[in-house]
Amino acid sequence: MEIIGLIAEYNPLHNGHLYHINKIKEKYPNSLLVLVLNGYFLQRGEVSIISKYDKAGLALEYGVDIVISLPTLYGVQSADTFADISIKLLNYLKVNKIIFGSETNDIDKLTLLAKKSLELDESEDLKQTLKSGINYPTALSKVINESFTYNSNDLLGICYIKSIIKNNFNIKAETIQRTNNYLDTASCEDIISASNIRQKIKDNIDISKHLPTLSKEKICTYDETLLFNLIKITILNDNISDILDVDINLYNMLKNNIQNVNSMEELLKVLKSKKYTYNKLNRMLIHILLGIKKEYTKEKITYLNIIGLSQNGKKYLNSIKKDINIQLKPDKKSIIYKLDIKASIIYDMLTSKNEYKKELANKPIIYNVTLSKELEKALKESIIIENEIKSGKRKAFNNVDELINYYFQNKKEFLNKVIYIKGSNGINLLKFANVLKKH
């Protein structure tokens, strides 16, 4: 059985993420999916518009078997740190493949660039190029002298491969073609980027076609004014010189300008330069908010925080428990745990969610679906059903939402006509069985 790793933020979980999961299931139908999930505050310094535990529940709903929480400390750092810790967490659970979305879909090219990047990470040429104010992808491209467009997923993919090589892990990297551009915030196809969806939410544009209904229902707003004020108070009253990513220039700019700005947007405009990108600045502001100090980067992972399990995931975890060389309960004395607790408290303040109690309880979501007799029979007869669809005897649907709409309009005829979803491999029928139970 293939144990396949995914790394995601699901901000929010959308059709592209379902495409990713379904493509993996299509290629590896008997695989078990292990997800490293970033939680409340994200790699680009954003606040998640779906809470961590809601994202974990959605991931299980759509086919993931084990959800590992990426500690806040590492989830709000650079791509290299974010990727390296995520790969290490997957390796603890014996993952033998990682599959990620890629703009180029060229694993050989990405592997070549990862190897060259590892060779050059400590080179003086790269350090000097970075000091000139050029961002890391551009600097790396210049030093390597390779013609390559560093799109967001490809850059993360290179970082994943670097971690696998550097740590000598027995994990194979594969790609799935990404169908959209992260920077595109205008297109209206069924599959668009998460940033496009977030922009449409801000512009009050309907996003229903771009993500599952269950995901849309979990989206929450956060108080941007409160976020800015919490950061402003911290900058005014605390010594922020020991905060991660706050160098002497940023320290002076923050202290000198914070009383003259009234929003995050105004503050970022003051700080933005060629050297300080918006992503880097947003991350730094989250570090200030959470009190993440430079010295915390020395912290080592001492436990795995598993926050979601399917029945298959639970069985798999039990089968390898004796071989896992890290504890599966939080180390409540560690900086990592304390930061996760602090992040949940601040997230609750910003969103009116109730994540703090869930963090304290530390009980994973256990996903369990009991099939009705009719659907159980349908699954067992899937080969017969598929043949009947081809001959036109049965009606087929492209997705679960289409199926659900038909069901509620035609309840009496339902069991005689509808027992198949294209490309489901049983997964979407399991999901639909759960929907029926709720109605």
Side-chain angles (χ1 to χ4, degrees):
M1 179 171 64
E2 300 287 355
I3 311 301
I4 297 174
L6 295 77
I7 300 167
E9 296 190 311
Y10 292 159
N11 189 38
L13 184 143
H14 56 69
N15 292 345
H17 297 125
L18 299 191
Y19 175 83
H20 181 207
I21 293 169
N22 288 334
K23 277 292 180 183
I24 293 171
K25 291 284 187 181
E26 187 179 297
K27 187 174 181 180
Y28 301 105
N30 297 317
S31 60
L32 186 131
L33 302 191
V34 181
L35 168 70
V36 172
L37 178 67
N38 206 5
Y40 308 117
F41 300 95
L42 307 178
Q43 198 269 327
R44 295 183 179 91
E46 299 157 323
V47 180
S48 181
I49 61 172
I50 301 184
S51 72
K52 182 169 83 174
Y53 279 88
D54 281 344
K55 289 191 286 191
L58 288 167
L60 295 170
E61 185 79 32
Y62 291 103
V64 168
D65 296 293
I66 300 177
V67 184
I68 307 170
S69 175
L70 179 64
T72 303
L73 174 60
Y74 308 112
V76 293
Q77 290 196 47
S78 67
D80 268 331
T81 302
F82 173 93
D84 186 51
I85 299 299
S86 296
I87 293 293
K88 285 176 178 175
L89 294 175
L90 291 173
N91 189 64
Y92 279 119
L93 291 190
K94 317 299 181 188
V95 162
N96 54 29
K97 268 187 175 59
I98 176 174
I99 301 180
F100 56 89
S102 164
E103 288 85 358
T104 60
N105 201 27
D106 187 344
I107 195 65
D108 292 334
K109 182 73 170 179
L110 296 178
T111 302
L112 174 66
L113 291 167
K115 288 177 179 177
K116 288 191 173 185
S117 174
L118 278 172
E119 292 168 6
L120 291 167
D121 271 354
E122 298 302 319
S123 76
E124 284 304 315
D125 284 348
L126 183 59
K127 288 177 182 177
Q128 290 303 317
T129 308
L130 287 168
K131 282 181 181 178
S132 70
I134 297 175
N135 62 35
Y136 181 81
T138 307
L140 183 62
S141 183
K142 187 176 180 180
V143 173
I144 290 176
N145 196 25
E146 284 277 350
S147 177
F148 187 76
T149 303
Y150 288 85
N151 291 301
S152 58
N153 277 43
D154 281 338
L155 182 58
L156 268 175
I158 290 168
C159 295
Y160 298 147
I161 298 167
K162 282 170 65 177
S163 176
I164 292 169
I165 296 170
K166 181 176 66 176
N167 294 292
N168 196 30
F169 290 150
N170 187 25
I171 299 174
K172 182 182 177 183
E174 291 185 14
T175 59
I176 288 175
Q177 179 73 60
R178 181 166 179 162
T179 60
N180 56 75
N181 188 331
Y182 171 78
L183 297 174
D184 175 12
T185 57
S187 65
C188 292
E189 304 298 324
D190 286 351
I191 295 179
I192 59 175
S193 69
S195 57
N196 193 343
I197 291 173
R198 294 194 300 274
Q199 186 59 51
K200 283 177 168 45
I201 291 171
K202 286 183 179 179
D203 296 338
N204 292 315
I205 297 171
D206 183 31
I207 57 168
S208 300
K209 67 180 284 190
H210 307 300
L211 73 174
T213 303
L214 291 176
S215 182
K216 184 182 176 184
E217 289 171 352
K218 298 295 183 183
I219 290 175
C220 60
T221 57
Y222 65 91
D223 190 330
E224 294 185 36
T225 302
L226 177 58
L227 174 65
F228 171 73
N229 286 335
L230 288 172
I231 292 171
K232 184 172 184 176
I233 290 167
T234 306
I235 293 169
L236 285 170
N237 296 314
D238 291 3
N239 175 20
I240 59 169
S241 61
D242 59 350
I243 296 295
L244 183 61
D245 286 338
V246 178
D247 61 25
I248 187 63
N249 291 329
L250 285 171
Y251 176 86
N252 289 330
M253 283 194 287
L254 286 164
K255 289 292 186 179
N256 292 336
N257 292 286
I258 192 63
Q259 294 197 66
N260 303 320
V261 294
N262 296 300
S263 69
M264 195 73 82
E265 187 178 1
E266 288 180 14
L267 178 58
L268 289 169
K269 281 182 179 178
V270 170
L271 301 174
K272 175 71 173 70
S273 69
K274 189 177 181 181
K275 183 178 180 180
Y276 303 119
T277 64
Y278 282 122
N279 286 345
K280 186 170 184 176
L281 291 171
N282 278 318
R283 273 197 300 271
M284 176 202 65
L285 293 173
I286 294 299
H287 296 161
I288 291 171
L289 175 70
L290 298 175
I292 298 177
K293 298 181 179 181
K294 295 180 175 80
E295 65 188 64
Y296 293 173
T297 57
K298 298 174 185 175
E299 291 290 316
K300 304 295 182 184
I301 303 169
T302 56
Y303 65 93
L304 281 184
N305 186 10
I306 294 174
I307 60 172
L309 291 164
S310 71
Q311 290 304 306
N312 284 339
K314 193 175 178 182
K315 287 177 187 175
Y316 174 73
L317 187 64
N318 287 333
S319 73
I320 65 166
K321 256 185 183 177
K322 65 180 185 298
D323 299 318
I324 300 174
N325 57 352
I326 191 170
Q327 70 182 51
L328 298 178
K329 290 184 178 180
D331 176 2
K332 295 187 177 181
K333 294 180 180 179
S334 71
I335 292 295
I336 292 171
Y337 175 77
K338 290 174 182 177
L339 276 174
D340 277 352
I341 293 295
K342 186 174 183 178
S344 69
I345 292 169
I346 295 175
Y347 188 82
D348 287 350
M349 290 170 63
L350 296 172
T351 63
S352 298
K353 297 290 288 185
N354 196 18
E355 297 291 291
Y356 170 63
K357 286 186 178 179
K358 294 174 185 176
E359 289 287 346
L360 286 181
N362 192 241
K363 292 182 179 178
I365 300 165
I366 306 296
Y367 186 74
N368 189 12
V369 177
T370 304
L371 293 176
S372 67
K373 288 181 180 179
E374 291 86 359
L375 285 173
E376 197 170 69
K377 182 181 178 182
L379 285 172
K380 290 178 180 177
E381 296 176 351
S382 60
I383 295 174
I384 298 170
I385 293 163
E386 195 162 350
N387 289 334
E388 289 181 350
I389 287 165
K390 288 176 182 176
S391 66
K393 289 182 180 179
R394 290 188 184 271
K395 185 172 177 60
F397 291 89
N398 291 310
N399 55 58
V400 174
D401 287 338
E402 191 179 312
L403 174 65
I404 291 168
N405 289 336
Y406 184 90
Y407 169 76
F408 287 115
Q409 291 171 12
N410 305 275
K411 284 187 181 181
K412 290 181 181 178
E413 303 174 43
F414 177 75
L415 289 175
N416 294 324
K417 288 189 177 180
V418 187
I419 39 178
Y420 181 80
I421 306 169
K422 290 179 181 176
S424 69
N425 287 329
I427 296 162
N428 285 334
L429 280 176
L430 289 172
K431 188 187 111 172
F432 182 60
N434 200 38
V435 173
L436 291 187
K437 290 175 71 179
K438 294 176 184 176
H439 295 276

